[in-house]
Amino acid sequence: MSSKPKTDDEWRAVLSPQQFAVLRQKATEEPGTGAYTNTFDQGTYNCGACSTPLYKSSTKFDAGCGWPAFFEALPGAVRRITDKSHGMERTEIVCDACGSHLGHVFRGEGFATPTDERHCVNSISLKFNEDK
C-alpha cells in the first residue's frame, strides 16, 4: 500500500458514489449488473481507484456467478484479508497499491482452472484496458 493513503474525502473527490461504496466501503454490486461480467476481450483489468494493473484477461473465465471471475491476479497486485463478516469466513481481496476492495476469492469449487481459485471481483472495482 502507498505510504500516504488518501482520506475518504480525497477518494470521494475522484470516485462516483457507487465506486466509493464498493471500493472504499466494501459494498457489492448486484450480480449480473457489472460492465465486465461478460467481457472477454484481450487486455488488462486495472484497479478502478488507482489504475494499478491487477488481472490479465487470459486469467478471466465464465464462472456463471454474475461477477467477473479470474483464476489468478498479477504477481503482488492483490492482497488477501480474512473477512469474518456476514456470519462466515471468506477471503477478501484488495488492491495492494491502494487498499481498495475488489471482491473475494474462493477455492475448491471445482472449476477447471490452473489454480482452483475464483477471484470474484466487482466490475466497478475494475477499469479495462484493451490490448491494441
Side-chain angles (χ1 to χ4, degrees):
M1 191 180 302
S2 63
S3 59
K4 185 180 177 196
K6 289 184 180 184
T7 66
D8 281 351
D9 286 340
E10 289 171 320
W11 281 119
R12 279 188 181 95
V14 296
L15 299 173
S16 73
Q18 187 180 13
Q19 286 175 311
F20 184 82
V22 173
L23 288 158
R24 305 309 305 170
Q25 297 179 316
K26 304 181 184 192
T28 301
E29 289 177 314
E30 291 295 318
T33 63
Y36 303 126
T37 303
N38 297 309
T39 299
F40 290 95
D41 297 331
Q42 296 302 303
T44 304
Y45 290 86
N46 298 335
C47 177
C50 73
S51 298
T52 295
L54 302 173
Y55 296 96
K56 294 297 291 177
S57 59
S58 58
T59 66
K60 190 172 188 291
F61 68 103
D62 184 1
C65 61
W67 293 275
F70 303 86
F71 62 80
E72 181 177 61
L74 291 169
V78 171
R79 186 167 19 103
R80 297 168 187 236
I81 301 169
T82 300
D83 174 2
K84 294 184 178 182
S85 66
H86 305 291
M88 66 182 100
E89 186 170 311
R90 303 179 292 174
T91 302
E92 178 188 8
I93 47 178
V94 300
C95 173
D96 194 53
C98 72
S100 288
H101 175 75
L102 304 172
H104 291 85
V105 64
F106 302 94
R107 292 188 54 80
E109 295 180 315
F111 290 107
T113 63
T115 61
D116 198 24
E117 289 188 343
R118 174 175 58 97
H119 294 223
C120 185
V121 182
N122 291 286
S123 283
I124 203 162
S125 296
L126 302 169
K127 289 180 191 169
F128 180 67
N129 286 329
E130 191 171 359
D131 285 347
K132 303 285 184 221

